[in-house]
Amino acid sequence: MKKIPLYLVLIAGALLSVAPYLMTLNAAFKSKQEILTSEPWALPANPILTNFGEVWSRYDFATFVVNSVLVAVAVTVGQLVFSTLAAYAFARLDFPGRDQLFWAYIATLMVPQIVTLVPTFIIVRELGLVDTHVGLILPFVFGFLMPYGVFLVRQYFKTIPESIEQAARIDGAGTFTILWRVMVPMAKPILGTLAIISFVNTWNNLLWPLIITHSESTRVITRGIAQMQSQFNQEYHLILAASTMALLPLVAVFLVFQRHIVRSIALSGMK
């Protein structure tokens, strides 16, 4: 009986969290006129599927999906590779100024992303990568805009006993052999955490694609949904249908990797 108030609070919090998604799904099956005239929570009087078809054909939504998948997967793989290499160097390799360099790098976590967008854009522009897939991917692969991965993996590597690494060296293993055959297999939980965080953050990112891309061939889902809004025409029914379709891959990721996501939250404190 003592836990009933706690459960009620948790249920209320869960409903508040899920409510926007349920409202989006409900409204995606309404016409534009019905969205403007009916109550937000009212079920569609005549559910329609034409919103989804119109989004898919009118805005070339398939290209947006392909671009988002390409960018999210590339950034995730890049984050895993380069964050692992950097984290191992900061955790295990002994070189002058290691700790000072690490904390200077991690200090960039305190800097709002908006502050680094302009210099990052200038760098990408000078490299001739504006409005390209590489320009979308590169800053996140090397951690310019996402330094959290290095910190996360480095802290996990620090928890692995050094005696395991020393035993591998006695057996004749080199640095890279120890990293890929000893450290990485033991760090699968935290690497799974980093993969989930990187994929979700990249999939939901709007600001960088909004700045770096302008053609449909490089447009991702978030950028595509943003373009449906204009000063004189609000396509609410199409925006909600597109938002619903954009949510589906993340829902699929959650259903497939539910246990890993729960473990990710426990390991990283992600909210």
Side-chain angles (χ1 to χ4, degrees):
M1 293 296 292
K2 294 182 180 180
K3 292 185 177 181
I4 290 179
L6 175 61
Y7 291 144
L8 292 176
V9 171
L10 292 175
I11 292 172
L15 291 175
L16 287 174
S17 299
V18 174
Y21 303 102
L22 295 179
M23 186 178 292
T24 299
L25 179 63
N26 180 50
F29 294 94
K30 295 180 179 181
S31 65
K32 182 178 180 179
Q33 185 64 27
E34 188 177 2
I35 290 175
L36 295 175
T37 57
S38 65
E39 293 294 329
W41 282 107
L43 294 175
N46 297 299
I48 57 175
L49 296 174
T50 54
N51 293 340
F52 299 95
E54 187 175 353
V55 168
W56 201 265
S57 58
R58 179 175 166 185
Y59 291 98
D60 194 15
F61 203 74
T63 300
F64 303 161
V65 172
V66 171
N67 287 336
S68 289
V69 171
L70 173 65
V71 171
V73 170
V75 169
T76 301
V77 172
Q79 277 276 302
L80 289 174
V81 173
F82 291 105
S83 293
T84 300
L85 292 171
Y88 182 74
F90 284 129
R92 288 290 194 255
L93 301 185
D94 189 15
F95 56 90
R98 180 191 66 179
D99 293 337
Q100 292 79 0
L101 181 61
F102 171 72
W103 290 114
Y105 177 73
I106 294 304
T108 60
L109 284 170
M110 305 298 293
V111 180
Q113 190 184 97
I114 190 69
V115 174
T116 61
L117 278 178
V118 172
T120 303
F121 174 80
I122 293 174
I123 293 172
V124 172
R125 184 191 62 189
E126 292 300 316
L127 292 174
L129 299 177
V130 173
D131 199 33
T132 65
H133 291 94
V134 177
L136 278 169
I137 295 167
L138 197 62
F140 295 93
V141 165
F142 293 109
F144 297 160
L145 299 179
M146 288 179 63
Y148 181 64
V150 176
F151 172 78
L152 194 67
V153 181
R154 186 256 191 185
Q155 294 304 105
Y156 193 88
F157 279 162
K158 295 285 284 186
T159 65
I160 298 176
E162 292 187 11
S163 58
I164 297 176
E165 185 178 354
Q166 292 170 357
R169 289 193 183 278
I170 292 174
D171 290 338
T175 300
F176 281 99
T177 302
I178 293 173
L179 175 60
W180 295 116
R181 294 192 178 184
V182 178
M183 304 294 282
V184 169
M186 296 182 68
K188 282 183 179 179
I190 206 65
L191 293 178
T193 297
L194 178 59
I196 292 168
I197 294 174
S198 297
F199 185 89
V200 172
N201 285 347
T202 305
W203 187 271
N204 291 331
N205 187 23
L206 170 62
L207 189 57
W208 182 245
L210 198 63
I211 293 172
I212 204 70
T213 63
H214 53 77
S215 65
E216 288 200 5
S217 61
T218 57
R219 196 162 289 163
V220 295
I221 284 181
T222 51
R223 179 72 171 84
I225 294 175
Q227 84 165 38
M228 297 178 188
Q229 305 181 64
S230 67
Q231 182 178 358
F232 304 103
N233 187 26
Q234 297 290 339
E235 303 282 2
Y236 295 113
H237 58 308
L238 300 183
I239 293 172
L240 291 167
S243 299
T244 300
M245 289 190 287
L247 283 172
L248 292 179
L250 298 183
V251 172
V253 168
F254 175 78
L255 293 176
V256 174
F257 300 104
Q258 184 175 1
R259 292 183 179 179
H260 297 281
I261 292 172
V262 173
R263 183 172 57 185
S264 299
I265 295 172
L267 287 171
S268 66
M270 180 181 65
K271 296 181 180 179

